[in-house]
Amino acid sequence: MTNDDEYTEYARARWSALVHSAMLLGAGKAEAEDLAQTTLVRCYLGWTKVSRATNRDAYVSRMLLNAFRASRRRRWWQEKPTEHLPDGGDPDRTAEVDGADAVARALGGLSQPQREVVVLRFYLHLGELEISDVLGIAPGTVKSRLSRALDRLSTDTNLADLDGGRLP
Amino acid sequence: MNDDQATDLIDRLAAQLPRTHAPVPELVEAGRSARRRRRRLVAGATTALVAGVVLGAFLGPRLGDGGDRSDRTDTIDHVSPGEAVVYYLAVEPDTLDAHPAPTRLTARLVDVRNTGNPGLDALSALANSVPEDKDLTNGFNFLRADHTSFIQPTSVTHADGVVTVDLAQDPMDPYPNIDFFGPSGEVITQQLVWTVQTAIGTTDPVRITVRGEPAAGILGHSLDGPVAADPAIVLPPDDPVALQMTVNPDLVGPGQVVTVTYFMRWNRGLAYKLVSADTTDPDLSNPDYYLISDGGTARRSMAWYSGDHPPAVHNIGIGGTGPDRVRIPETAAEGKWLLCAVTPLVEPCAELTVTRNGSPAPDVEGYLSIPLSNDPYPAVTYFEESAGYSLGLTTAVSCPAVVESVTPLGDEALLVKTLPPEYGGCRFAAPPSTDRFPLAGPVAETVKWAVIDQGAGREPVRVRLEFARGTLD
């Protein structure tokens, strides 16, 4: 298998996860696609390094996160947390969308560092040590951020009405 | 909430997110294209860098009697008599578009004839040159197969703070007409402005005339007076650790001051960051410190923040070459560091070493001081698509002029408020002011120039205001 074949297979497999990760971090759909593209093009440029990474997904997650952070820092206007799901929901699935919207609003209530560890842990399913490596912070900091994020989600009023008042 | 519940929550949200098809062929092509551009940009960027040095140093006329039309893409470290720096059009380096139009400029060295008029020599050489690099475009002569220039300069004069370039024929709507996909008249205008300014050694604006009368425009881009150089249009060097800026001294103690000087004037941010360079591969995207404003809140001053928890960056573009004076954070550990400017594009960095036995340096009020300059400072404000009002404060810290807020008054005018004196450790001669700028049209990608009066005996400062409609997400 050539490098291009290997890259193509990887890009196809990871595209959705990268787009969704960026959206969960707070990007809109178009920006999320841009960030996924940027990440995957950078993967192409450094494929030798990427393909040799011990944990390729964690390595690429870090690239995505860096691209996301850079895009935020380079904005020339004040940031506003994303609290609403981008358009694209199915009108026949109103209840599900409402629930997801509540989750999105709850995520929007987290600080950005908390939101990052939540996405890395519970969407990309990285371990705490991997998150520590991706974020460049101590494993203990990962634990404390996760703990505080979960505490905050537990008391978030946006999630109170889900599933008849029970948290999932 | 336990881990399973959190996973369920996120899965529930992710299930609602729209699914899109992976554009794999486009990704591969974009990767290949970026790889090709990256290789070529190394040489090109270096030439742009040194061309900036040439301009910044205000070298005198460069005369000669050469006639070779070929451009050279090796490093421009010296401009000899008979040579001049000209600018060609280049594609945005980071674009992922497979067929992008060139929107940037990059410098090259060409041979010129010695007529005694360096501005005219450079423009004439540009009109007759074809870039060897096939990825570059000469906006003067790309329209025609025989590379005949539709911009034909006949004279260049420099008086009363304005450079006047007279052309033999109207370049507004040359044959073939402008209904095509290619470079815009605006970037070609900047190509002319940068080339003639560099040749003369000035940053004065450029008036373009046709047989003595004001030119209507260039390739569909209307002109309404002298044109200033856009500091953001020239490609910065590609290598972020290249010598784009220097730090002096490079051996300092915590809390001491370094002087930062840039080689070329281009659009950079006011903010700085400090990245530990004790590793072999410093990660510029994860700095240890940010030197930024905390925005419109209580302190309103530049201060160092931990890289782990930086506040949202409220920044303003500036175009000067420095020297900025930056005080190193008192908590910086001993070791090697990269001091980097935070910019919308490439982030220039310079290495320094922090030591307890560092060279002493003079104190600076606050953490950042930037000298007075007449370079334009772009202030960027976006407006919401529907509402059309300013998104809160465009908080910014800059010296000597700062735009704090811009509020559209309908579609007719903009209310621009400048910051009060002594903001963020900078000293302002100008009082706070609110000015009304009438708009010729709707608030959409409008550029206005505000002139900030600095008081008697001081030059007014021009502030470039860029406006565009936009949404946050």
Side-chain angles (χ1 to χ4, degrees):
Chain A
M1 184 181 278
T2 66
N3 275 353
D4 269 16
D5 292 339
E6 199 177 319
Y7 169 82
T8 297
E9 190 176 296
Y10 182 78
R12 187 169 287 124
R14 294 299 293 169
W15 171 259
S16 286
L18 291 173
V19 172
H20 289 174
S21 297
M23 293 177 75
L24 291 170
L25 286 169
K29 178 172 176 285
E31 187 191 4
E33 289 178 343
D34 283 348
L35 290 168
Q37 274 198 25
T38 300
T39 301
L40 286 171
V41 169
R42 286 176 182 165
C43 280
Y44 184 90
L45 292 170
W47 184 246
T48 306
K49 198 171 177 181
V50 174
S51 61
R52 288 177 186 166
T54 309
N55 184 332
R56 190 183 296 175
D57 291 346
Y59 190 93
V60 175
S61 299
R62 179 174 185 156
M63 294 170 72
L64 177 77
L65 193 62
N66 288 341
F68 175 80
R69 287 174 168 182
S71 76
R72 284 304 192 259
R73 290 186 191 116
R74 287 168 185 174
R75 286 187 167 192
W76 296 82
W77 60 89
Q78 188 169 358
E79 293 176 32
K80 187 172 70 175
T82 302
E83 295 184 352
H84 302 286
L85 271 179
D87 193 18
D90 183 339
D92 294 327
R93 299 161 63 195
T94 308
E96 291 176 25
V97 172
D98 285 348
D101 188 53
V103 178
R105 277 185 272 117
L107 276 184
L110 298 177
S111 69
Q112 193 58 38
Q114 288 173 347
R115 191 166 180 159
E116 288 170 1
V117 292
V118 165
V119 172
L120 292 173
R121 179 73 187 92
F122 301 119
Y123 180 67
L124 293 173
H125 304 294
L126 300 184
E128 287 175 353
L129 283 178
E130 290 168 328
I131 297 173
S132 160
D133 185 48
V134 167
L135 295 176
I137 58 178
T141 308
V142 175
K143 278 181 186 292
S144 61
R145 280 188 194 172
L146 276 172
S147 173
R148 280 196 285 270
L150 292 182
D151 284 349
R152 175 141 193 176
L153 289 174
S154 297
T155 57
D156 193 293
T157 54
N158 289 301
L159 303 177
D161 293 333
L162 291 182
D163 292 344
R166 290 177 293 107
L167 286 170
Chain B
M1 182 180 294
N2 60 33
D3 284 8
D4 289 341
Q5 288 173 326
T7 301
D8 187 42
L9 264 184
I10 303 300
D11 285 348
R12 177 184 295 212
L13 177 57
Q16 303 304 317
L17 297 176
R19 302 199 174 277
T20 58
H21 179 67
V24 174
E26 289 82 357
L27 288 170
V28 172
E29 178 51 37
R32 287 175 178 157
S33 178
R35 182 180 287 164
R36 288 194 296 270
R37 281 199 300 275
R38 174 184 281 187
R39 287 173 183 151
R40 282 187 294 262
L41 271 171
V42 173
T46 308
T47 59
L49 161 67
V50 184
V53 179
V54 172
L55 180 60
F58 289 166
L59 291 184
R62 292 173 291 280
L63 308 177
D65 55 4
D68 185 356
R69 293 179 176 183
S70 65
D71 63 305
R72 295 189 295 278
T73 57
D74 51 348
T75 301
I76 302 174
D77 56 3
H78 179 70
V79 180
S80 304
E83 297 176 330
V85 172
V86 300
Y87 290 83
Y88 292 125
L89 277 51
V91 167
E92 180 68 47
D94 291 334
T95 183
L96 300 182
D97 189 340
H99 303 287
T103 56
R104 307 294 298 277
L105 300 181
T106 186
R108 292 291 186 273
L109 197 61
V110 298
D111 291 332
V112 299
R113 297 180 62 82
N114 178 8
T115 68
N117 185 325
L120 183 60
D121 288 346
L123 288 178
S124 299
L126 179 58
N128 293 310
S129 71
V130 178
E132 287 183 348
D133 185 338
K134 299 303 179 192
D135 278 352
L136 300 182
T137 302
N138 186 349
F140 279 40
N141 58 27
F142 77 102
L143 276 173
R144 295 164 183 155
D146 64 357
H147 299 298
T148 307
S149 176
F150 75 95
I151 297 174
Q152 296 181 349
T154 55
S155 76
V156 174
T157 56
H158 186 196
D160 300 326
V162 176
V163 178
T164 301
V165 175
D166 196 51
L167 307 178
Q169 63 188 45
D170 182 6
M172 182 62 165
D173 187 14
Y175 175 83
N177 66 35
I178 60 172
D179 185 19
F180 67 96
F181 179 77
S184 70
E186 187 172 11
V187 70
I188 297 171
T189 303
Q190 285 293 322
Q191 184 186 12
L192 182 152
V193 168
W194 272 87
T195 297
V196 73
Q197 283 185 343
T198 303
I200 294 174
T202 181
T203 55
D204 286 342
V206 178
R207 177 189 292 120
I208 301 170
T209 58
V210 178
R211 295 184 295 277
E213 297 297 320
I218 292 181
L219 201 59
H221 172 64
S222 297
L223 300 172
D224 58 1
V227 182
D230 178 353
I233 201 168
V234 174
L235 281 171
D238 195 41
D239 179 358
V241 196
L243 289 176
Q244 300 167 44
M245 68 185 213
T246 57
V247 172
N248 185 40
D250 59 4
L251 183 66
V252 292
Q256 292 185 334
V257 174
V258 295
T259 298
V260 182
T261 308
Y262 294 85
F263 282 111
M264 61 187 298
R265 57 188 182 98
W266 51 284
N267 188 5
R268 60 186 168 94
L270 187 68
Y272 281 92
K273 62 185 181 182
L274 201 56
V275 184
S276 173
D278 278 333
T279 62
T280 54
D281 188 17
D283 185 355
L284 299 185
S285 63
N286 285 308
D288 298 81
Y289 295 94
Y290 275 108
L291 176 57
I292 54 183
S293 161
D294 63 354
T297 54
R299 291 186 56 187
R300 314 186 87 193
S301 62
M302 300 293 282
W304 287 103
Y305 291 87
S306 162
D308 284 341
H309 304 287
V313 174
H314 300 265
N315 204 355
I316 187 170
I318 56 177
T321 57
D324 298 357
R325 294 204 304 160
V326 178
R327 185 145 59 94
I328 300 303
E330 290 85 348
T331 54
E334 284 191 300
K336 288 184 178 178
W337 294 85
L338 286 175
L339 180 66
C340 308
V342 178
T343 78
L345 297 168
V346 176
E347 294 172 329
C349 299
E351 190 172 281
L352 56 83
T353 301
V354 172
T355 170
R356 297 291 163 188
N357 301 314
S359 307
D363 290 336
V364 59
E365 185 179 344
Y367 286 95
L368 178 65
S369 169
I370 294 178
L372 183 72
S373 165
N374 272 330
D375 274 347
Y377 294 77
V380 183
T381 298
Y382 284 80
F383 299 102
E384 283 189 306
E385 183 72 44
S386 54
Y389 55 82
S390 173
L391 294 171
L393 295 179
T394 304
T395 45
V397 183
S398 179
C399 294
V402 176
V403 175
E404 181 185 85
S405 65
V406 181
T407 308
L409 305 175
D411 277 345
E412 296 179 353
L414 299 164
L415 204 61
V416 177
K417 183 181 178 186
T418 53
L419 288 174
E422 298 194 16
Y423 181 96
C426 304
R427 297 183 185 284
F428 288 88
S433 67
T434 302
D435 296 297
R436 192 173 184 275
F437 291 87
L439 290 173
V443 184
E445 298 179 1
T446 302
V447 174
K448 290 283 174 183
W449 294 84
V451 178
I452 310 296
D453 183 5
Q454 294 284 318
R458 303 188 71 169
E459 289 291 320
V461 174
R462 289 179 305 149
V463 179
R464 196 175 78 161
L465 309 170
E466 296 177 353
F467 307 100
R469 289 193 187 280
T471 55
L472 282 177
D473 286 297

